[in-house]
Amino acid sequence: MTLSKTIGIIGGGQLGQMMAIAATYRGHRVVTLDPAADCPASRVSEVIVADYTDVDALRTLAERCDVLTYEFENVSAESLDMVADKALLPQGTELLRIAQNRIAEKDFLTKAGVALAPYRVVTSSLDLADYDFLTTRVLKTATGGYDGHGQVVIRDVESLAQAKVLADQTECVLEDFVSFDMEISVLVSGNGRELTVFPVQENIHRHNILSKTIVPARIPEALAEKAVQMAKKIATDLQLFGTLCIEMFVAGDQILVNELAPRPHNSGHYSIEACNFSQFDTHILGILGETLPDIQLMQPAVMLNVLGQDMEAARAFVNQHPHAHLHLYGKAEAKHNRKMGHVTVLGEDVESVEEF
């Protein structure tokens, strides 16, 4: 068991908050860097108020901490490189660079030998000059996209015109639009020597935002095992420290990797109640190089995201179902489509739990 450490977390949103809670339970001290003094992590950690690109503030954080980690992938890898000599950064910055850029990500995944949707790199509208509509495709910005932002599904002349405008603004990836049966994800945590894997999760999205996660995923055991083995291969090639989420599509008997998230993930929040160790526990253990436990799903589970417009419905749901676990992140303002919390329900009948 590692003696008490000071862990620095870059990003004080809900993921940073839950990382800090997991670290605190194990006797560690946490300092968070975030632009907002009242960020969710401020309730459970000390906060350095600064922009994520503020090298002086990052250096201060690094000097005060034994280990650094991050809650999201849009941290400047270059800025972290400039302070990495001040504190241990087990995850390194190469994983950040891979996850921040879809071109780099797909190049890595191709070399790892896992299946992807067909794609090609687009550097300007000239690459779309002879576009055919035989296959539906989606143009995605190489950097900066999330929850459906920074992408255009090309179905007709009008959407092609929108895609050309986007292509002239930034590098992009053009992917064949996958007609999938289901979206799934696999969480895997590493300590640089060994891996531990969470059960395969089934994810349901609304308007490109995760709405509901069902665990275990409702797929044949052979497909679930294929997804787990792909996740292990990716994590091994990365020499993984901490938690990584691999998002995938199920298309018939194929598993196609969609993207990587190099940190705990929204789809894994169920693990706090449903597993013997949560994704945040294994993230903290992993970055500290501690031995990782085998993950056991104690009960089937469903996780429902609580967005800004869902607050009243979520409170009513919990009042009607006192066995449900409500997590609110403490964000100051409940904006439309803003992730304000989540609800986890355990039991054999979780498939019947409806979204808000």
Side-chain angles (χ1 to χ4, degrees):
M1 182 175 67
T2 301
L3 298 176
S4 180
K5 299 283 189 180
T6 299
I7 299 173
I9 302 174
I10 303 165
Q14 61 266 22
L15 297 177
Q17 180 192 68
M18 288 182 272
M19 284 183 196
I21 291 170
T24 301
Y25 279 167
R26 302 191 72 81
H28 303 298
R29 186 166 177 269
V30 178
V31 182
T32 302
L33 186 146
D34 194 273
D38 63 346
C39 63
S42 67
R43 288 153 178 77
V44 290
S45 73
E46 181 184 346
V47 178
I48 295 174
V49 180
D51 190 81
Y52 303 123
T53 59
D54 187 331
V55 175
D56 289 337
L58 287 169
R59 186 172 290 113
T60 297
L61 178 70
E63 289 173 345
R64 294 183 55 189
C65 298
D66 300 299
V67 179
L68 292 181
T69 187
Y70 41 81
E71 72 151 1
F72 63 100
E73 54 269 33
N74 290 325
V75 180
S76 168
E78 291 74 18
S79 297
L80 280 181
D81 281 336
M82 295 175 69
V83 304
D85 62 323
K86 301 296 182 182
L88 184 64
L89 181 65
Q91 294 157 282
T93 55
E94 184 58 27
L95 175 54
L96 265 183
R97 287 183 166 88
I98 290 170
Q100 286 173 351
N101 188 297
R102 285 192 171 96
I103 298 171
E105 183 178 67
K106 290 184 181 299
D107 183 57
F108 164 77
L109 292 170
T110 299
K111 291 176 180 175
V114 297
L116 306 172
Y119 77 96
R120 61 186 173 94
V121 175
V122 171
T123 58
S124 77
S125 60
L126 295 176
D127 293 328
L128 302 173
D130 298 322
Y131 189 86
D132 68 74
F133 294 96
L134 299 177
T135 301
T136 301
R137 300 178 180 90
V138 55
L139 187 76
K140 300 179 180 179
T141 57
T143 60
Y146 68 97
D147 288 348
H149 297 280
Q151 58 182 261
V152 177
V153 179
I154 306 175
R155 302 184 188 276
D156 50 31
V157 173
E158 183 179 349
S159 54
L160 177 59
Q162 295 172 357
K164 287 181 177 180
V165 171
L166 187 62
D168 281 332
Q169 294 172 348
T170 184
E171 278 192 322
C172 297
V173 170
L174 184 67
E175 298 178 10
D176 283 10
F177 194 82
V178 176
S179 179
F180 57 85
D181 305 313
M182 183 186 299
E183 294 184 55
I184 62 172
S185 55
V186 180
L187 291 164
V188 56
S189 298
N191 61 10
R193 306 180 307 277
E194 60 184 349
L195 302 172
T196 194
V197 184
F198 288 79
V200 180
Q201 307 153 182
E202 175 183 344
N203 301 321
I204 298 167
H205 290 75
R206 284 186 179 176
H207 308 297
N208 295 305
I209 300 173
L210 180 66
S211 178
K212 180 178 181 178
T213 293
I214 298 171
V215 187
R218 295 170 293 180
I219 58 175
E221 186 175 337
L223 274 181
E225 181 59 25
K226 182 185 290 188
V228 166
Q229 292 305 318
M230 291 170 74
K232 286 183 174 180
K233 178 64 167 66
I234 291 167
T236 299
D237 285 5
L238 289 169
Q239 297 180 302
L240 181 67
F241 284 86
T243 296
L244 170 73
C245 180
I246 300 104
E247 298 179 57
M248 306 174 177
F249 296 125
V250 178
D253 60 356
Q254 276 193 306
I255 302 288
L256 304 175
V257 177
N258 182 32
E259 61 184 29
L260 307 177
R263 34 79 180 174
H265 193 262
N266 192 177
S267 65
H269 292 344
Y270 76 91
S271 62
I272 296 171
E273 283 87 22
C275 295
N276 55 336
F277 289 84
S278 78
Q279 62 169 341
F280 302 100
D281 295 324
T282 56
H283 182 76
I284 297 300
L285 290 169
I287 63 172
L288 293 175
E290 294 195 27
T291 302
L292 294 169
D294 290 330
I295 298 301
Q296 299 174 23
L297 181 68
M298 312 305 286
Q299 291 189 69
V302 62
M303 188 279 298
L304 305 176
N305 254 346
V306 179
L307 304 180
Q309 63 268 30
D310 302 326
M311 292 289 283
E312 289 187 16
R315 292 186 189 280
F317 180 90
V318 173
N319 285 335
Q320 295 165 8
H321 303 86
H323 61 286
H325 297 265
L326 174 65
H327 294 251
L328 294 179
Y329 307 142
K331 294 181 180 180
E333 185 179 357
K335 297 178 182 178
H336 186 80
N337 282 348
R338 188 182 196 189
K339 295 171 184 173
M340 302 299 295
H342 69 270
V343 172
T344 302
V345 181
L346 308 178
E348 296 299 328
D349 60 345
V350 293
E351 293 180 19
S352 64
V353 177
E354 296 184 0
E355 299 161 67
F356 299 125

